[in-house]
Amino acid sequence: EVQLVQSGAEVKKPGESLKISCKGSGYSLNNYWVGWVRQMPGKGLEWMGIIYPGDSDTRYSPSFRGQVTISVDKSISTAYLQWSNLQASDTAIYYCARSQGRGSSWYVGWGQGTLVTVSS
Amino acid sequence: QTVVTQEPSFSVSPGGTVTLTCGLSSDSVSTSHHPSWYQQTPGQPPRTLIYNTITRSSGVPDRFSGSILGNKAALTITGAQADDESDYHCMLYVGGGIWVFGGGTKLTVL
């Protein structure tokens, strides 16, 4: 069964760094775009950015460029979303999602979500 | 900044038909925006319903259909059921490898 498995919930303090992960289970991520989506409490979905593990081609929403870093480790079929200076406003559920293929970056599969709580 | 618009809320009677729309603040939506639709119930990750305007994702019932209606993308649910009560999110391609979600529509079945 094709799955995206995300890392567990995190509780952090403002100013701390964090890296959450998304692993392809049952298939290799290398031939699909992998994206990250934010959902703040009680709000809609926000497209953050996307990476193609095959060549690390990465695109960011203007709203998130410079605020987060998306990366991938092809050898373990895992994508990452990273912050260097968390703020309370980063409190949200973060979903990873994979595309249908190289030339089609709409999402067809989703991870279970990672809850990130930033509080002093 | 590109804004994708959706109705904040909608209601439909059981067995009825409802069409949710997805527009752009400064342009008409076409197939080149590759509209996709996602269903989400509370506490669950999104589920892909429709991608590339009209293609149903695996396992999605055929009472869900996607289209372009006028200058917007549309998701039509025919024969609404109680468990269709969910949030529905659309996503559009805006160029440069970038996508944007709409604000989501909360659908009530009553």
Side-chain angles (χ1 to χ4, degrees), chain A residues 37 39 43-47 50 59-63 65 95 100 104-113, chain B residues 1 34 36 38 40 43-48 51-52 57 89 91 93 96-104:
Chain A
V37 175
Q39 188 166 41
K43 302 298 185 182
L45 305 178
E46 298 176 87
W47 193 92
I50 201 165
R59 312 296 173 94
Y60 291 96
S61 163
S63 299
R65 186 175 294 119
Y95 295 102
Q100 189 182 26
S104 49
S105 53
W106 48 76
Y107 296 138
V108 295
W110 294 79
Q112 83 276 20
Chain B
Q1 183 94 0
H34 306 287
S36 52
Y38 307 91
Q40 189 181 29
Q44 296 297 314
R47 168 198 182 198
T48 302
Y51 57 85
N52 204 20
S57 190
H89 308 273
M91 187 175 83
Y93 180 70
I98 307 298
W99 297 76
V100 179
F101 280 102

Side-chain angles (χ1 to χ4, degrees), chain A residues 107-108 110, chain B residues 36-40 46-51 54-61 64-66 75 77 87-89:
Chain A
Y107 296 138
V108 295
W110 294 79
Chain B
S36 52
W37 292 90
Y38 307 91
Q39 179 190 49
Q40 189 181 29
R47 168 198 182 198
T48 302
L49 294 177
I50 301 286
Y51 57 85
I54 62 170
T55 304
R56 270 186 298 277
S57 190
S58 176
V60 174
F64 291 91
S65 62
L75 173 71
I77 307 172
D87 293 328
Y88 291 86
H89 308 273

